[in-house]
Amino acid sequence: MADPSSYRPKPGQIPDSPGVYKFRDEHRRVIYVGKAKSLRQRLANYFQDLAGLHPRTRTMVTTAASVEWTVVATEVEALQLEYSWIKEFDPRFNVKYRDDKSYPYLAVTLNEEYPRVQVMRGAKKKGVRYFGPYGHAWAIRETVDLMLRVFPVRTCSAGVFKNATRTGRPCLLGYIGKCSAPCVGRVTPEEHRELADDFCDFMAGRTGTYIRRLEKDMMAAAEEMEYERAARLRDDVEALKRAMEKSAVVLADATDADLIAVAEDELEAAVQIFHVRGGRVRGQRGWVTDKVEAVDTSGLIEHALQQLYGEETGDSVPKEVLVPALPEDPEAVSQWLADRRGSQVSLRIPQRGDKKDLMVTVQRNAQQALGLHKTKRASDLTTRSRALEEIAEALGLDTAPLRIECFDISHLQGDDVVASMVVFEDGLARKSEYRRFQIKGFEGQDDVRSMHEVIGRRFRRYLQEKERTGEWEESPAVSGAVPAPETAAADGDPFDNEPREDDGRPKRFAYPPQLVVVDGGQPQVAAAKRALDELGIDDIAVCGLAKRLEEVWLPDDDDPVVLPRSSEGLYLLQRVRDEAHRFAITYQRAKRAKRIRSSPLDAVSGLGETRKQALIKHFGSVKKLKQATIDEICEVPGIGRRTAESVAVALASTTPAAPAVNTATGEIIEEDDGGSTS
């Protein structure tokens, strides 16, 4: 690990002007590329106290061994040079989007003497006009089949074309009128190119001209009693309309725009792009990336714009680019886009109307793409096997942890403290064995104490199951154990091959995990280990995953285990932790909502939600309201003496246990009277 001060430039050596900088490691490999309006100010941020740097930035500067820079004249030049260097050097600490699949395009090879319409994937080629991308290749073929009636452009391969030219016989499409057959000279190269240009114009959104022209020709043919020609033109019009219907109008003003949305979490991001031409969605694509550098939404948008338009020119860059957040320097990015297009480009955030509504749809697609990406990674058998092996190696386990249980604590400002237990077997969630707990041993907020209680309750039940079935002889560790807590399974049906109770129900805590994961750092891990030690259990590994730096903590270790950023083992632990958090907070919210619905103030006739909130806001809690006199209750605006008396009577008839209240929202959180754990 290098000390950044060892290669820090001397004071005054860095110019105060726009430029692009490169960090290199000890082997002279470029590991990070960045740009700045002021190189001096930006680079100074990297050489501050390491404790003040973002963890990813800290990793980068300690991996680097030198820094160098190039001065440019404007911010636009810096943007272009940054993109060129990222593409050339492929730095490991720069965000780089990767397609989550190879999208097919509808391509017209205008660089050939006889342009060809075909499906293309991969890198774009010079001289080829692209439309899309499309979700599926069959969607392209359906569209082309409809349009070949009107624009009979060549679709055959070079080999088929040469063979037809040699034999003087066109292919089947030439016989049925879906190809103009330039291979046998039915049209000249100029006429065929004109057909290809018309095809491109129609696909680019200029549809009204051709449909009106065909309709005019159809009417003229009918007046001249050329009914067969009129019928063919009618069918051509219908074919074009059906082709247009495949992409519905989303923007009524025939806008040419690209809409970009980002969905992200701490580690990954997904980008979705909708290409709108002529008011219709003509293509859609998506990217995913690992957030290997400290970057916010604005930075992700800027990287997406660079990758999307870095190789594009002309009409491939639309007049309007709509984004959820503007880049750090929107003027420079807008000018860069304008230079690539050759005319003004509007880069903005949609504020209202159809464009904002469409942005919501794009954002929803980005969220789904991120979720699907995570699901695909998690469901892959090879990936899961590697993840379990990496966890075993990092934690020093003898075997891969085929069963992992993760525990999380959830509460709202210390009220309604609950816990969750989720189970992953072979790297996949086993929802039928999820469990949830209420914390009963004490009141208030103490995550460490809560974790100790939950772990103790879960494994005390496990030991009782072993004792009852005769798998384990009674020992002082479990003799006289307190009754196990009541639990409830999560959604999902039990598996038929699970061991059963006498009445046929599956056993709840019969299986021990190989690994217990707790949401938290050293204190939570120590509490979980102490609970296991008190029960005499020493064959179950324990670790904690801290959210802030994604560090893995082991009992009795002063330093965390840091798994590599690209580790599938880390990803699996994060997914287990996130699932436990989701399950816990869902239960906590449902429990809180139930308490709100059963407020003691509900019994007061004529007391609506507005006056309930006013009472809670005035006194701070139901407990204090219960202690107030009738005269004090009357001091609340809108509360008369009769209502105050009704409130006092209603609260006096409740149980002594005082409810808690979220004073920020006025939500009444009341204790259950002997309710069971769920």
Side-chain angles (χ1 to χ4, degrees):
M1 180 180 292
D3 183 0
S5 62
S6 64
Y7 62 87
R8 180 175 185 170
K10 296 179 180 179
Q13 185 178 359
I14 307 174
D16 187 19
S17 57
V20 183
Y21 53 92
K22 299 191 292 266
F23 280 88
R24 296 181 182 268
D25 64 11
E26 58 183 349
H27 304 292
R28 299 293 297 163
R29 292 174 298 192
V30 176
I31 62 172
Y32 184 74
V33 172
K35 63 173 176 58
K37 289 183 179 180
S38 170
L39 287 169
R40 180 179 301 170
Q41 295 179 13
R42 177 60 60 83
L43 289 176
N45 294 334
Y46 291 101
F47 297 102
Q48 57 179 290
D49 183 10
L50 290 178
L53 294 177
H54 189 282
R56 298 187 182 101
T57 304
R58 182 165 62 245
T59 302
M60 188 275 290
V61 297
T62 54
T63 303
S66 64
V67 62
E68 56 193 55
W69 56 86
T70 298
V71 176
V72 296
T74 65
E75 290 88 347
V76 177
E77 290 183 17
L79 188 70
Q80 181 60 48
L81 183 58
E82 179 193 32
Y83 170 75
S84 300
W85 278 359
I86 290 176
K87 185 178 179 182
E88 177 182 357
F89 297 112
D90 191 24
R92 56 177 290 200
F93 287 102
N94 278 96
V95 165
K96 296 179 288 295
Y97 291 104
R98 58 187 184 275
D99 281 351
D100 52 9
K101 63 178 175 178
S102 177
Y103 287 92
Y105 285 83
L106 171 58
V108 184
T109 57
L110 297 176
N111 56 348
E112 297 181 355
E113 182 182 7
Y114 296 99
R116 175 191 176 192
V117 175
Q118 64 182 113
V119 177
M120 274 193 177
R121 298 178 185 264
K124 293 185 177 181
K125 300 178 181 179
K126 188 176 181 180
V128 179
R129 185 80 179 271
Y130 291 90
F131 302 96
Y134 288 76
H136 304 280
W138 55 261
I140 301 177
R141 296 188 179 97
E142 284 186 356
T143 301
V144 170
D145 185 64
L146 291 169
M147 295 184 60
L148 288 181
R149 287 183 55 90
V150 186
F151 309 107
V153 186
R154 168 198 164 204
T155 57
C156 60
S157 65
V160 173
F161 188 88
K162 289 180 181 179
N163 185 61
T165 302
R166 180 179 57 81
T167 61
R169 296 170 56 188
C171 64
L172 177 61
L173 293 180
Y175 281 110
I176 65 176
K178 289 193 173 183
C179 179
S180 56
C183 54
V184 294
R186 289 185 185 174
V187 294
T188 64
E190 293 75 16
E191 292 172 336
H192 186 268
R193 182 166 291 275
E194 184 178 351
L195 282 173
D197 290 338
D198 290 344
F199 181 97
C200 292
D201 287 343
F202 188 89
M203 289 299 301
R206 293 182 280 275
T207 58
T209 302
Y210 296 99
I211 291 180
R212 287 193 296 270
R213 187 180 69 187
L214 289 175
E215 289 176 340
K216 182 178 179 181
D217 291 345
M218 179 184 67
M219 298 302 295
E223 289 177 359
E224 296 173 5
M225 293 186 291
E226 297 180 4
Y227 299 120
E228 291 185 2
R229 179 168 173 266
R232 177 175 178 80
L233 291 171
R234 177 202 62 201
D235 294 341
D236 289 349
V237 171
E238 292 300 320
L240 290 182
K241 288 182 177 179
R242 288 199 302 273
M244 292 170 58
E245 288 170 357
K246 290 183 176 296
S247 54
V249 174
V250 292
L251 300 177
D253 55 355
T255 301
D256 289 347
D258 284 349
L259 289 88
I260 304 172
V262 176
E264 57 180 311
D265 58 19
E266 286 296 320
L267 302 176
E268 294 177 307
V271 172
Q272 280 287 308
I273 304 103
F274 275 26
H275 303 280
V276 179
R277 300 294 182 269
R280 299 172 182 269
V281 178
R282 298 292 184 178
Q284 175 187 358
R285 68 186 306 182
W287 298 326
V288 293
T289 184
D290 292 328
K291 294 171 71 173
V292 292
E293 62 173 296
V295 61
D296 57 9
T297 303
S298 297
L300 291 170
I301 290 294
E302 182 172 312
H303 288 304
L305 292 172
Q306 286 180 310
Q307 181 155 328
L308 186 59
Y309 303 115
E311 305 295 325
E312 304 292 349
T313 56
D315 291 340
S316 296
V317 182
K319 297 178 183 178
E320 208 172 347
V321 179
L322 305 177
V323 295
L326 292 175
E328 181 181 351
D329 190 353
E331 292 80 11
V333 177
S334 297
Q335 184 58 50
W336 176 71
L337 292 173
D339 292 344
R340 304 209 64 79
R341 175 177 170 81
S343 62
Q344 187 65 33
V345 175
S346 172
L347 176 65
R348 63 187 183 87
I349 302 172
Q351 300 294 333
R352 63 183 66 85
D354 294 341
K355 294 175 181 177
K356 184 177 181 181
D357 294 340
L358 184 57
M359 179 62 80
V360 173
T361 301
V362 184
Q363 180 66 39
R364 190 181 305 118
N365 277 264
Q367 293 285 0
Q368 293 173 350
L370 182 62
L372 181 61
H373 170 69
K374 289 178 173 293
T375 301
K376 284 182 177 178
R377 290 183 64 181
S379 61
D380 181 79
L381 179 60
T382 303
T383 301
R384 287 187 281 117
S385 299
R386 184 165 64 251
L388 294 173
E389 291 171 359
E390 289 177 358
I391 292 174
E393 181 178 356
L395 304 185
L397 307 180
D398 295 333
T399 59
L402 300 182
R403 180 183 171 101
I404 301 174
E405 293 181 3
C406 184
F407 296 81
D408 185 29
I409 308 298
S410 180
H411 56 80
L412 178 64
Q413 298 179 354
D415 297 317
D416 278 327
V417 185
V418 299
S420 68
M421 180 188 96
V422 301
V423 179
F424 275 59
E425 290 188 351
D426 295 329
L428 292 177
R430 186 77 176 271
K431 289 193 173 184
S432 63
E433 298 206 27
Y434 284 17
R435 299 290 180 263
R436 51 195 188 184
F437 306 82
Q438 291 187 61
I439 302 303
K440 295 183 175 181
F442 65 99
E443 295 182 358
Q445 177 182 349
D446 190 336
D447 287 357
V448 174
R449 190 175 173 186
S450 299
M451 187 64 70
H452 178 271
E453 177 182 331
V454 170
I455 296 293
R457 288 163 60 180
R458 184 265 180 268
F459 287 96
R460 189 175 296 114
R461 177 65 178 271
Y462 158 63
L463 295 178
Q464 288 176 340
E465 288 288 346
K466 291 186 67 175
E467 179 183 0
R468 190 179 68 83
T469 57
E471 298 178 33
W472 180 87
E473 295 214 1
E474 183 175 336
S475 74
V478 294
S479 59
V482 300
E486 294 179 9
T487 59
D491 52 288
D493 294 327
F495 289 83
D496 292 334
N497 60 353
E498 291 182 344
R500 302 274 170 170
E501 300 281 5
D502 296 337
D503 60 358
R505 291 182 292 110
K507 295 181 179 179
R508 287 177 170 175
F509 293 106
Y511 302 108
Q514 284 80 45
L515 175 65
V516 167
V517 180
V518 299
D519 183 9
Q522 255 183 328
Q524 287 83 358
V525 174
K529 186 65 169 62
R530 187 170 68 254
L532 292 176
D533 291 341
E534 290 171 358
L535 295 172
I537 299 175
D538 57 4
D539 57 349
I540 296 177
V542 180
C543 74
L545 186 60
K547 285 189 180 72
R548 190 170 68 91
L549 298 178
E550 303 297 340
E551 298 167 325
V552 180
W553 291 89
L554 296 176
D556 305 322
D557 283 2
D558 294 330
D559 297 315
V561 176
V562 180
L563 294 175
R565 175 61 190 80
S566 59
S567 167
E568 291 295 340
L570 176 61
Y571 176 79
L572 177 57
L573 289 176
Q574 289 165 340
R575 183 164 179 253
V576 172
R577 187 269 317 278
D578 293 345
E579 180 68 352
H581 179 70
R582 179 200 66 80
F583 193 53
I585 200 169
T586 300
Y587 176 41
Q588 195 271 336
R589 287 171 177 170
K591 187 171 181 287
R592 186 172 77 247
K594 180 181 178 181
R595 294 182 184 280
I596 294 172
R597 289 193 297 269
S598 60
S599 167
L601 294 178
D602 293 341
V604 180
S605 177
L607 188 65
E609 287 298 323
T610 301
R611 292 200 291 175
K612 287 180 186 177
Q613 298 294 339
L615 286 168
I616 297 303
K617 184 176 181 180
H618 182 85
F619 291 99
S621 69
V622 175
K623 181 178 180 180
K624 292 180 179 178
L625 174 59
K626 186 176 180 180
Q627 297 170 350
T629 65
I630 294 177
D631 291 335
E632 290 173 339
I633 297 175
C634 289
E635 295 176 0
V636 179
I639 304 296
R641 187 165 189 85
R642 179 176 296 179
T643 303
E645 291 173 352
S646 300
V647 169
V649 171
L651 294 178
S653 63
T654 59
T655 57
V661 171
N662 176 5
T663 57
T665 63
E667 294 176 335
I668 305 169
I669 306 174
E670 186 185 30
E671 288 294 329
D672 284 336
D673 297 330
S676 61
T677 309
S678 59

